[in-house]
Amino acid sequence: MVRAIQIGAVGGPEVLKSQSVDIGLPGPGEVRLRHTAVGVNYIDVYYRTGLYSAPLPFIPGMEAAGVVEALGPDVESLKVGDRVSYAGALGSYSEARIINADRLISLPENVSNDLAAAITLKGLTAQVLLRQVYKVKSGDTILIHAAAGGLGLLMTQWAKALGAIVIGTVSSEDKAAIAREHGCDHPIVYTRENFVSRVREITDGKKLPVVFDSVGKDTFLGSLDCLQPHGLMVVSGASSGPVPPIQVSQLAQRGSLFLTRAVVFNYTATRADLEAAAADLFAIVGSGKVRVSVNQRYELAQAETAHRELENRKTTGATILSL
């Protein structure tokens, strides 16, 4: 038996309950993984509240790092003792788990387990958004919402390394300072400034080729108004709530815009795509051009507190559960 956080009914942070669970033995193609650190991400909130569905009861969490403890039949790519991380397999809020070996990423020596738990999901997401969904190039001016969050800080630094000019929205002056320290050229405090007007001022009315929006409902229409004709609206989350239905004519009226709901797991579904994205991520982190700060650490049993602080925008950078 291992300790895990389990959800028996969707709702607020109080539904996160510590339980003892039996995870069994690894089957063909599987390994038993002992977690050393678990990443906390906003997608965990989506599952907890029922915005994303999973059969009840379930163990939340989509990201972790750990050590391989046992191999199932036919697993030849890993050995006991290997350090690995993963993103995209529900059930990480646990001391250990059974997981398919082909979803695991071997960690370079210069990437610690804590760092891996902090960057695998957000880092792969940043890679997909900046290098695949829209290939950011030198000279691009882009908008990143929630620029002081874990994903936002990663994306800001990576975009700067690619030569982009970064505009970022944040909720406070303190977060504006954090975003600026990580390379954001134009932090916009959206609680006292209209980000659409500021984008127009910053770009001399030219507006933007792309907007990366992980906030959703509260920013979606404004984000569309920040785009140039033929610009790309990239929705990657919904921390303020799901985007309301939109008439396709609204895209036409704003200059034949493009709209996508980018999901990292669709871009890393094959083993080859996962390995390529991870290699790109670890290369940029290893270069020192992208720094990752684990600013919040909680025990596994404190998952409820971690969720409350994440939802109340009290966190910056990355948050992990330590084991």
Side-chain angles (χ1 to χ4, degrees):
M1 303 291 282
V2 300
R3 297 301 295 177
I5 300 298
Q6 197 167 63
I7 292 175
V10 297
E14 67 279 359
V15 303
L16 298 165
K17 303 295 186 182
S18 181
Q19 307 281 349
S20 291
V21 298
D22 183 3
I23 62 172
L25 300 173
E30 297 177 332
V31 305
R32 177 185 168 108
L33 182 65
R34 174 175 57 83
H35 289 149
T36 55
V38 173
V40 177
N41 299 281
Y42 225 95
I43 193 172
D44 306 344
V45 175
Y46 302 157
Y47 275 102
R48 192 205 74 221
T49 60
L51 180 62
Y52 291 178
S53 62
L56 294 168
F58 67 90
I59 297 170
M62 301 290 282
E63 170 187 45
V67 178
V68 175
E69 284 191 320
L71 306 177
D74 305 324
V75 176
E76 299 179 354
S77 58
L78 296 166
K79 63 182 184 299
V80 172
D82 280 352
R83 293 189 313 117
V84 295
S85 68
Y86 65 87
L90 189 65
S92 66
Y93 285 25
S94 178
E95 291 175 329
R97 72 175 300 169
I98 305 299
I99 188 170
N100 288 332
D102 67 358
R103 291 288 89 194
L104 298 176
I105 302 166
S106 295
L107 297 179
E109 290 185 4
N110 64 341
V111 175
S112 70
N113 286 30
D114 279 5
L115 179 58
I119 67 168
T120 300
L121 179 55
K122 287 180 283 289
L124 290 176
T125 301
Q127 196 280 338
V128 165
L129 297 178
L130 298 173
R131 306 279 279 167
Q132 299 188 58
V133 176
Y134 179 91
K135 296 183 179 179
V136 173
K137 59 187 182 298
S138 181
D140 280 343
T141 301
I142 67 174
L143 173 60
I144 299 172
H145 284 296
L151 176 60
L153 291 178
L154 265 170
M155 290 184 64
T156 295
Q157 294 175 86
W158 202 331
K160 289 301 297 179
L162 294 170
I165 298 167
V166 178
I167 304 171
T169 62
V170 295
S171 61
S172 68
E173 292 292 348
D174 288 345
K175 289 190 174 183
I178 292 169
R180 192 177 288 109
E181 289 169 5
H182 287 77
C184 184
D185 299 283
H186 302 282
I188 299 172
V189 182
Y190 67 82
T191 52
R192 63 172 178 80
E193 298 178 283
N194 182 293
F195 74 84
V196 178
S197 298
R198 284 290 293 128
V199 165
R200 287 175 176 161
E201 291 173 7
I202 292 165
T203 62
D204 294 325
K206 296 177 182 177
K207 299 194 283 188
L208 307 168
V210 65
V211 173
F212 297 100
D213 192 338
S214 62
V215 176
K217 176 175 65 69
D218 290 352
T219 53
F220 179 76
L221 291 178
S223 295
L224 293 182
D225 289 333
C226 292
L227 287 167
Q228 301 167 355
H230 312 160
L232 175 61
M233 175 68 184
V234 183
V235 179
S236 61
S239 60
S240 68
V243 173
I246 179 175
Q247 295 293 325
V248 175
S249 60
Q250 293 194 52
L251 303 178
Q253 292 163 5
R254 289 172 169 86
S256 298
L257 302 180
F258 293 86
L259 168 64
T260 185
R261 176 58 171 96
V263 178
V264 60
F265 312 126
N266 293 336
Y267 285 82
T268 56
T270 70
R271 182 67 193 174
D273 287 342
L274 176 62
E275 290 181 344
D280 198 19
L281 167 61
F282 291 144
I284 194 72
V285 171
S287 74
K289 294 178 181 178
V290 171
R291 297 176 292 111
V292 179
S293 298
V294 180
N295 292 340
Q296 296 82 213
R297 285 181 168 84
Y298 304 89
E299 300 298 322
L300 180 64
Q302 295 176 301
E304 178 181 341
T305 301
H307 274 230
R308 290 191 188 282
E309 299 203 347
L310 179 65
E311 286 185 280
N312 290 327
R313 303 186 187 280
K314 294 182 178 180
T315 64
T316 61
T319 299
I320 64 171
L321 305 177
S322 300
L323 292 102

